[in-house]
Amino acid sequence: MTYQILLIEDDLQICEILTDYLEAQPENVFLVRCANDGQKGMEQIVEGQYDLVLLDIMLPEMDGFSLCRELRRISDAPIIFITARGREEDKLRGYQLGCDDYLVKPFSLAVLHAKMLALLKRAKGMVQSTVLTAGEIVLEPERYRVCCAGREVDFSHKEYELLRYLLEHKGKVCMREELLTRIWGYDFEGSDRVVDNHIKKLRKKLGAQGRMIKTIIRKGYQLKEDTDESGNRKEE
């Protein structure tokens, strides 16, 4: 599919990097148009129809929060904030104004791309709303977001895909070779220890809920809900 993307960002280098990356993606056609200050961004919003908007907050002429507010009055296009402002109050304000996601610089281009596709597919009605859960872990594929015990947790692209696969196969023993093939691909030339290292990172980021990811000796891993809400093992 072809998607019209509006990037409102005053850093010319970031504009160039994002434009080159997105327009080089083979699966879909991204046509990226850039505006380097808030006023020009507002003019682009009024004049054109865009499938998704990437929006910085700290912009000359008109800030991103004001732009988000104005855009929501005239369009339902998904909005992703891309900004250096990572304070909780800034994130909450962004969501209150109607943004769909919020990425703090520096961020992974692969993660941004995945979030964009998830939002675009949802906006176009191409996906059903599906939420994957286990204990207090909630993964929203259409928003490329994971919450654990009520707080959003940031994962690398591979960590996210690994957690998603385990949630989709909850209760099943997933062999290391299976995880390696599904997440890293058939042509991956590294060791299967990469799976163990990513599981370790997952458990750490999930805190008490990470205990639901069981190690199956000489086989692989299993995500099993046999813990209470605090992540402690239930009494037999």
Side-chain angles (χ1 to χ4, degrees):
M1 289 191 66
T2 299
Y3 297 110
Q4 301 285 342
I5 309 298
L6 177 59
L7 170 58
I8 308 175
E9 166 65 66
D10 63 333
D11 188 316
L12 298 181
Q13 184 178 17
I14 292 178
C15 287
E16 183 178 355
I17 291 172
L18 287 179
T19 299
D20 289 347
Y21 179 82
L22 292 173
E23 293 190 345
Q25 296 304 308
E27 301 90 351
N28 299 279
V29 177
F30 289 94
L31 301 178
V32 182
R33 189 164 185 179
C34 297
N36 301 127
D37 66 57
Q39 188 58 47
K40 290 179 181 177
M42 190 66 229
E43 292 172 3
Q44 298 281 15
I45 289 170
V46 173
E47 293 174 1
Q49 291 187 339
Y50 295 94
D51 296 302
L52 184 142
V53 177
L54 299 174
L55 179 59
D56 193 9
I57 292 176
M58 295 178 287
L59 294 165
E61 305 299 333
M62 187 177 187
D63 68 85
F65 287 137
S66 299
L67 277 171
C68 183
R69 183 187 299 110
E70 294 302 315
L71 178 58
R72 274 293 161 258
R73 291 177 179 174
I74 61 175
S75 173
D76 292 325
I79 301 171
I80 301 179
F81 274 116
I82 49 171
T83 176
R85 293 175 63 163
R87 298 180 305 173
E88 183 177 14
E89 51 264 42
D90 289 322
K91 294 180 181 180
L92 290 174
R93 186 179 180 191
Y95 285 116
Q96 288 166 357
L97 288 171
C99 82
D100 295 271
D101 219 319
Y102 194 110
L103 279 176
V104 178
K105 301 173 182 175
F107 51 80
S108 161
L109 293 177
V111 169
L112 172 62
H113 179 236
K115 285 177 176 289
M116 289 174 65
L117 283 181
L119 287 170
L120 286 165
K121 289 178 180 178
R122 185 180 64 177
K124 300 293 184 182
M126 296 166 62
V127 294
Q128 296 179 344
S129 178
T130 302
V131 176
L132 302 173
T133 64
E136 291 188 274
I137 302 171
V138 179
L139 186 148
E140 301 174 75
E142 70 275 14
R143 300 190 68 179
Y144 201 83
R145 185 170 71 170
V146 179
C147 290
C148 183
R151 64 180 181 86
E152 187 170 352
V153 183
D154 292 325
F155 293 99
S156 70
H157 182 59
K158 286 291 190 288
E159 290 167 357
Y160 172 87
E161 293 298 333
L162 181 57
L163 177 60
R164 178 173 176 171
Y165 191 84
L166 291 171
L167 285 167
E168 288 174 338
H169 298 82
K170 185 167 56 177
K172 173 183 177 292
V173 176
C174 298
M175 307 296 285
R176 281 185 178 83
E177 295 79 4
E178 172 189 353
L179 294 170
L180 197 63
T181 299
R182 294 288 186 176
I183 308 303
W184 281 267
Y186 289 95
D187 56 351
F188 180 72
E189 297 180 354
S191 166
D192 62 1
R193 291 293 297 174
V194 70
V195 176
D196 301 333
N197 291 335
H198 277 70
I199 290 290
K200 182 178 180 181
K201 292 176 182 178
L202 274 183
R203 285 172 171 158
K204 182 176 181 180
K205 290 185 177 182
L206 292 171
Q209 297 299 302
R211 298 176 188 174
M212 287 189 289
I213 302 176
K214 312 297 182 183
T215 300
I216 309 301
I217 303 300
R218 291 189 295 275
K219 291 185 178 181
Y221 296 94
Q222 177 189 38
L223 197 154
K224 186 177 180 182
E225 291 183 285
D226 63 351
T227 56
D228 60 26
E229 291 185 353
S230 64
N232 297 317
R233 188 179 298 277
K234 289 183 178 180
E235 296 295 331
E236 298 293 330

